[in-house]
Amino acid sequence: MTLSARDVSWGASGRMIVGGVTLEAAPGKILGLIGPNGSGKSSLLRLLCRLRKVSSGVVELDGRDIGEVSRRELARRLAFVEQQATTEIQLSVCDVVRLGRTPHRGALASWNAADEQAVDAALARVGMSERHDQHWHTLSGGERQRVHIARALAQTPSELILDEPTNHLDIQHQLSILTLVRRLGVTCIVALHDLNLAALFCDEIALLHEGRLVASGTPETVLTEETIKRVFGVAVRIGASASGRRHIEYLVDPDCYGDAAP
Amino acid sequence: MSHHPVQPNWPARIGIALAALAALVFAIALAVTIGEMRIPLATAFQALGNGLFDLGYPVSAIQQGVIFDYRLSRALLAGLCGGALALSGAILQALLRNPLAEPYILGISAGASTGAVAVMILGFGGAALTVSGGAFLGSVAALLIVALLAAGAGGASDRVILAGVAGSQLFNAATATIVTTLASAEQARGVMFWLLGNFGGVRWPDVFVATPVALAGFAICMLHAKALDAFAFGADAAASLGVAVTRVRIVLFAVTAVMTATMVSIVGTIGFVGLVIPHAARFLVGPGHARLLPVCLVIGAIFMILADILSRILVPQQILPIGVVTALVGAPAFAIILYRARRPA
């Protein structure tokens, strides 16, 4: 048992954004969170790491209500990677990763060998050791996301929450980021936009629609033609990928090709 | 692999601290000797010995008075003021994630001067409210108004500057209204001179007020140095790193307001120090706040002491308002930062 949400709801200015969601991340597995734009994925992730307070329901970490855990203690267990967070401050790669040690250090503590080790190990795990001193602003989108993941790993979390980590990346970097996430061996909850990427990389999938959980389970049970038609409003044909996972083919109106139709 | 020392290099740190202290003492010594009455450095130190320890050096009563009662207190206050404003700028820039944030541009200084003028001229608050108290209430009001305006405009960090400009205008208008309609001609002249920043009236009691405020403010900021670093990627990122964002914001905004209000109530509004010094300090020691904040304090102090000397000697027989001198340096620096901060297309 690790991170779980029980009947969690949240709203802003009178509008329900997350309504009665119950889910649980299996230890060491990857739970994908999918759903159309505005379905509440980002909000739900923020509730799971206590960046927003639930209106009702409870989020538990090892059976403890996270509302009762201090923010600092929580940050040593649970790390969050935002969508495309950036800064105008002139930071180097290791400056950013060092931030991950914040919850482990007292106000007056000086930097110690354990901190340094955690930073070096985190950079090695994301394959950015050689970029240690490079400036943040000179990194590509995919590299920045790697550094953010390294920063999260420097927190030495047992649970990692990622909000659309592949957004705005080209396909090579989308695949390399998610491959990296799979190899971490940390319990992950990842919001994803692309259904095929979710099918390829997630052990389990939770499907959100208008703030509510519509389906959850293995990719095979969640990603069906009927469910996708109902939630996303698109026609698909489900096949199998070369790796034996689900592959979603989008069906479009053949008329749109006009005379050029094959 | 790492290029950062694991253990802090104490001898180097102590060396740098001593060098900074020596520079500070040198600036103060310059401030004490330079002026309409030129005083040799040796005499200055003798007068200091007389004033502090009653050593009985043969220093003329006039020189003793000028050095100890006027120039030394003035130089110390200039240093405290420059340090506190630079510190406030560094804090606001980190919390608001905006390189242009500082007490003057955000209207906090304008609010403080409105509060101070309300007490001085209107007698607002009666005997219960001192000029410093009025300045503090004014600065908090300005901070709240700017925060509300910025939140109403969407809360993005560039909106904060626009809100600050609006807030400054509002409070400057209020100050001008009070001064032009209700102050006597003599009061009005005094207030206008004070508003542009003036160390002329500084005496020892002011130093005794400003010293604990600046030093306590500095200590509180230093305790939050790591939390300030964590704001680099925004408030949510800081919270997910274990920082109690709301508490840190309230504490540090309050510290900024108190430091600014105290300085404004003593010497008036002085712009751009809070903007320029943190950028210069970042250029020297990088963005980490554990180093940045002490460097801001020292450079801000030295800068303000030198600016005060300039204000006294730039125009013979006249004293320029200190705000004019800092603006002469600060406005071009503001333009450069604005130019460099533009978003890549």
Side-chain angles (χ1 to χ4, degrees), chain B residues 13-25:
Chain B
R13 279 192 188 186
I14 292 169
I16 290 167
L18 284 177
L21 200 67
L24 200 54
V25 169

Side-chain angles (χ1 to χ4, degrees), chain B residues 49-75:
Chain B
N50 288 350
L52 289 177
F53 307 112
D54 210 7
L55 293 180
Y57 286 114
V59 179
S60 79
I62 296 176
Q63 284 191 332
Q64 177 76 35
V66 167
I67 292 167
F68 201 76
D69 295 334
Y70 296 98
R71 290 193 187 165
L72 184 60
S73 53
R74 177 178 181 141

